[in-house]
Amino acid sequence: MEIKVLHQVMDWNEDVSEEVKETLSSHHICMINVMGSPGAGKTSLITSLIGTLRKDWRAGVIEGDIAGQIDAERIADLGIPSVQLNTDGACHIEAMSIQHILPELPLDDLDVIFVENIGNLVCPAEFRIGESLRITILSIPEGDDKVEKYPLMFTDTDCLVLNKYDMLPYFDFDEARVQANYETVNPGAPLFRISSRTGDGIQELADFISEQIRKAQS
């Protein structure tokens, strides 16, 4: 019975996810679901990307947190339209939450919306939210075993970001292991090496995202 109920919830979420896609498509918006563990650097990556992309594209942000609004305040300080979404304990964002929150953003004035999902390598991978693109972040301090431990998160993503790459010399992190495991579960998907602190690699990822924005507007 529990499996049946879960299946029904997933089907319902997929239906709403498609409705969100239709709404975004009507406004020619590319929505990006940014996923990763707590402390992986999701907010820093988003702010770095906005700084690079804003010369060409108009960005908005939906900040997902279990509680609080610290990250949303960081985004708002950039002068970017942002909305805080608190899940009150839920470990992921669902499509219906996105559907309810989109009217709070100036959709006619946006090209791309970043959604910072809840810090978690399990639940967010299972729930589509109407996104055009999924980005999974793995930071160097987290360790090199995460692709093996949480394969769905790295299988069902459009690209992998190795974040805090400038810290590689200070951790026992087997980069080749991560790359091999990622290529096994998600062959052909790109991998970016990023340091939000130094800015290294940001332009390459921004170029990749720009391609997706152009597709959404075509």
Side-chain angles (χ1 to χ4, degrees):
M1 180 61 70
E2 291 182 0
I3 295 175
K4 182 177 180 181
V5 171
L6 178 58
H7 181 67
Q8 289 176 342
V9 169
M10 297 289 278
D11 282 350
W12 163 80
N13 186 78
E14 288 298 316
D15 291 342
V16 180
S17 176
E18 289 302 315
E19 293 173 7
V20 171
K21 277 187 178 180
E22 292 174 7
T23 298
L24 294 169
S25 178
S26 69
H27 291 275
H28 306 288
I29 294 174
C30 174
M31 188 167 74
I32 302 174
N33 186 0
V34 181
M35 303 177 291
S37 298
K42 296 186 292 298
T43 308
S44 296
L45 180 66
I46 290 171
T47 56
S48 296
L49 284 170
I50 289 173
T52 302
L53 292 166
R54 67 189 310 170
K55 65 181 182 295
D56 298 312
W57 309 110
R58 301 165 298 173
V61 177
I62 297 174
E63 271 295 338
D65 278 304
I66 291 177
Q69 57 184 41
I70 296 172
D71 292 336
E73 290 171 353
R74 289 177 61 187
I75 298 295
D77 287 343
L78 298 175
I80 298 297
S82 60
V83 181
Q84 179 71 46
L85 172 59
N86 286 345
T87 63
D88 297 324
C91 61
H92 61 275
I93 295 174
E94 294 182 1
M96 181 166 282
S97 295
I98 299 296
Q99 188 178 56
H100 287 163
I101 212 166
L102 283 179
E104 303 298 323
L105 288 168
L107 299 182
D108 290 329
D109 299 321
L110 298 178
D111 301 305
V112 57
I113 297 174
F114 289 95
V115 179
E116 180 173 341
N117 217 312
I118 306 302
N120 191 326
L121 285 177
V122 182
C123 305
E126 300 181 24
F127 288 84
R128 290 277 172 179
I129 58 173
E131 67 270 55
S132 307
L133 181 72
R134 287 184 147 198
I135 295 177
T136 296
I137 302 175
L138 173 63
S139 67
I140 298 302
E142 291 178 74
D144 54 26
D145 59 353
K146 298 300 180 288
V147 180
E148 295 160 86
K149 287 185 174 181
Y150 307 100
L152 181 60
M153 176 60 75
F154 299 91
T155 301
D156 198 7
T157 190
D158 296 295
C159 68
L160 171 61
V161 170
L162 284 184
N163 201 24
K164 305 183 183 180
Y165 196 70
D166 54 306
M167 301 183 74
L168 186 62
Y170 309 106
F171 287 87
D172 185 15
F173 186 95
D174 188 342
E175 182 180 355
R177 175 187 183 185
V178 171
Q179 183 163 357
N181 288 326
Y182 181 55
E183 289 175 351
T184 298
V185 300
N186 201 345
L191 185 154
F192 297 92
R193 296 161 176 84
I194 301 287
S195 170
S196 298
R197 185 180 66 83
T198 67
D200 290 343
I202 291 292
Q203 186 63 59
E204 289 82 358
L205 180 56
D207 291 343
F208 175 73
I209 290 172
S210 289
E211 291 179 15
Q212 311 310 312
I213 298 173
R214 292 189 189 98
K215 289 178 182 178
Q217 297 193 339
S218 62

